[in-house]
Amino acid sequence: LASDGYDVLRGGDPDDDGYRNDAVNTRLGYRMDNGVDLEWRLLRAQGRTEFDSLWTSGTHEEDFVQQAASVQLSGPAGSAGGWRVIAGETRDERDTLDGDGRYRYDTRRRNLSAQTDWLLNSTQLSLGADYLHDQVSGSTDFARDSRNSRAVFAQLHSEWSHHQFGAGLRNDWYSDFGTHGTGDLAWAYRLDEAWRIRGSAGTAFRAPTFNDLYFPWGLGNPDLDPERARNLEAGLEYGRAGHRLSLNVFENRVRDLIIYDTDTFTMQNINRARITGAEASWQWAGRDWQLAASYTWLHARDEATGNQLPRRARHSARLDADRSLGALRYGLSLIGQGRRYDDPSNTLELPGYVTMDLRGGYRLDSHWDVSAAWSNVFDRDYETVAGYRQPGQALNVSLRGRF
């Protein structure tokens, strides 16, 4: 896949920023006589991306390789259980020419996980463990170029009468951030055949990635602290006659939230953040039509300053409509986002926008179909990150075969 691109950065070099991207996605599996499954997966993308710079002149391009490979072994455990073991590696390699300077930045993550599940009547218990090894190398020296982490976890899910119950515990150990435990509780109750209520509470922990810590050009910040969060959520659901309605309200309190700070051009921590919101959605499926609509209200702020968290719109909405007539199908999407701020100090405001996409397809026979997608039909000029234009209208046509 290749494109001449468009001029992405407002105020940068007045040229088109093209790209080339070659990708492969494979999956192979084999089932043994004893019921054990062996599966191998590979996802690899490589190419070159051109970009603009506000600080240096000359050629700006990046060669990249992104790859995820894994092997999974799974099988039964008794009459009502199962197990699986997964080993894998992910790679992110970047070789960047920025004017007269060249930078290389490579990260690798090797992972090993094991999980076993048991089902007894209407109760399922899962136990497992994870191991990760992260490594970074490049054209610059890093304060820390590798780390290990391991975790054990347990998850319980049970149903009785009109109730559903879930609970989970997890304990993580990081070679650079120590030990941290998290947990969650969830409950749901079916009022009748159509209505259901639910609620959940939990804690979360996220260590900064090596990209957050050490990304070149000063964008990474080796002094970052990990995120810690407490989450609450409640919801109401309705489903009948092809309709499905849901309303959710939530609150997340985060310590040391990791963000990209456009004032300092580095990753930074926000000491205390509070994110509250509500989500409403509706779906309907008829014989020929499928309709869906959703709306989200979000109030995300820095508790110390009262400022809105960057790049989070307070209002967002989406409408989808699709119809199928025999071998023909067509539809449209309307996507809207309200205004937001690009910076933590709330001095740089990005206006809201609405875009429309059209799509269609036709099944030629049992093996072939052709489809087309017309995105940003009205060629709306908008930005989700200050200074970086989003693509204008584009038409993509594809032919797919199945054998």
Side-chain angles (χ1 to χ4, degrees):
L1 180 65
S3 172
D4 291 335
Y6 62 99
D7 191 16
V8 175
L9 181 61
R10 176 166 41 86
D13 298 331
D15 61 349
D16 291 338
D17 304 306
Y19 66 88
R20 188 195 80 247
N21 187 0
D22 303 315
V24 61
N25 187 2
T26 60
R27 176 181 175 183
L28 298 174
Y30 177 75
R31 170 160 290 184
M32 305 177 192
D33 294 337
N34 58 1
V36 174
D37 291 324
L38 176 64
E39 184 178 275
W40 177 75
R41 295 189 182 191
L42 173 66
L43 173 61
R44 180 183 174 91
Q46 65 181 51
R48 173 172 293 180
T49 300
E50 298 174 354
F51 62 94
D52 290 334
S53 175
L54 291 173
W55 297 281
T56 61
S57 59
T59 302
H60 305 91
E61 59 186 26
E62 180 178 77
D63 294 320
F64 66 89
V65 173
Q66 293 178 312
Q67 177 177 296
S70 65
V71 176
Q72 175 176 297
L73 201 62
S74 61
S79 59
W83 59 270
R84 65 177 179 268
V85 177
I86 303 174
E89 181 189 69
T90 58
R91 297 166 56 187
D92 184 0
E93 302 176 359
R94 301 175 185 269
D95 190 353
T96 306
L97 178 60
D98 185 15
D100 295 330
R102 181 173 289 276
Y103 306 89
R104 183 175 58 83
Y105 181 76
D106 301 336
T107 60
R108 297 198 180 195
R109 165 172 283 188
R110 296 182 176 91
N111 63 280
L112 178 64
S113 64
Q115 181 174 325
T116 183
D117 306 299
W118 293 280
L119 181 62
L120 179 61
N121 296 326
S122 59
T123 299
Q124 178 176 313
L125 175 64
S126 300
L127 300 175
D130 295 325
Y131 172 79
L132 298 174
H133 175 74
D134 294 316
Q135 190 166 355
V136 60
S137 62
S139 54
T140 59
D141 294 329
F142 303 102
R144 184 185 296 271
D145 60 9
S146 67
R147 77 175 175 200
N148 298 316
S149 64
R150 54 182 181 263
V152 293
F153 61 88
Q155 190 77 33
L156 177 69
H157 183 269
S158 184
E159 298 184 20
W160 71 95
S161 184
H162 297 290
H163 298 268
Q164 292 178 311
F165 174 78
L169 290 173
R170 182 181 178 93
N171 189 76
D172 290 88
W173 175 87
Y174 289 83
S175 58
D176 48 355
F177 292 112
T179 301
H180 300 275
T182 55
D184 63 84
L185 289 172
W187 168 81
Y189 180 76
R190 183 166 295 281
L191 301 171
D192 55 32
E193 292 183 357
W195 292 95
R196 190 176 81 128
I197 58 174
R198 60 185 179 84
S200 63
T203 59
F205 174 85
R206 185 175 84 87
T209 66
F210 271 11
N211 285 1
D212 295 332
L213 295 167
Y214 303 127
F215 204 81
W217 311 312
L219 300 178
N221 180 0
D223 296 324
L224 286 176
D225 292 321
E227 290 183 7
R228 300 171 178 84
R230 292 178 296 166
N231 313 310
L232 295 173
E233 184 174 348
L236 176 66
E237 298 176 354
Y238 171 86
R240 177 173 287 176
H243 294 272
R244 183 176 178 85
L245 294 165
S246 67
L247 175 64
N248 300 309
V249 294
F250 57 87
E251 179 182 78
N252 302 330
R253 292 178 178 264
V254 188
R255 294 185 58 185
D256 297 316
L257 176 69
I258 299 172
I259 65 163
Y260 176 68
D261 188 345
T262 54
D263 295 331
T264 61
F265 302 105
T266 61
M267 305 300 294
Q268 297 287 351
N269 287 119
I270 288 182
N271 187 29
R272 293 182 182 272
R274 184 177 182 182
I275 303 170
T276 56
E279 298 175 327
S281 66
W282 166 73
Q283 296 175 342
W284 176 75
R287 187 181 67 177
D288 301 328
W289 285 93
Q290 288 185 323
L291 304 176
S294 62
Y295 168 75
T296 301
W297 174 83
L298 188 69
H299 186 39
R301 66 184 185 275
D302 182 337
E303 289 200 295
T305 64
N307 290 341
Q308 187 172 325
L309 295 180
R311 300 177 182 173
R312 289 169 169 84
R314 182 163 293 188
H315 305 280
S316 60
R318 181 182 179 112
L319 174 65
D320 297 286
D322 291 274
R323 191 181 188 191
S324 299
L325 291 174
L328 176 67
R329 64 187 186 278
Y330 57 90
L332 67 82
S333 294
L334 291 172
I335 303 171
Q337 294 276 335
R339 67 178 182 87
R340 75 202 69 196
Y341 292 101
D342 193 65
D343 57 337
S345 56
N346 289 184
T347 59
L348 184 57
E349 182 177 305
L350 298 175
Y353 63 89
V354 176
T355 62
M356 185 172 79
D357 301 333
L358 298 177
R359 55 188 169 271
Y362 187 79
R363 188 174 64 253
L364 301 174
D365 55 33
S366 60
H367 297 290
W368 294 94
D369 65 70
V370 61
S371 61
W374 186 8
S375 58
N376 196 2
V377 172
F378 298 113
D379 201 23
R380 183 78 164 89
D381 186 14
Y382 67 100
E383 298 174 359
T384 57
V385 176
Y388 291 86
R389 300 182 181 94
Q390 292 298 304
Q393 61 175 319
L395 178 64
N396 294 288
V397 179
S398 63
L399 179 67
R400 178 177 298 179
R402 296 179 297 273
F403 301 96

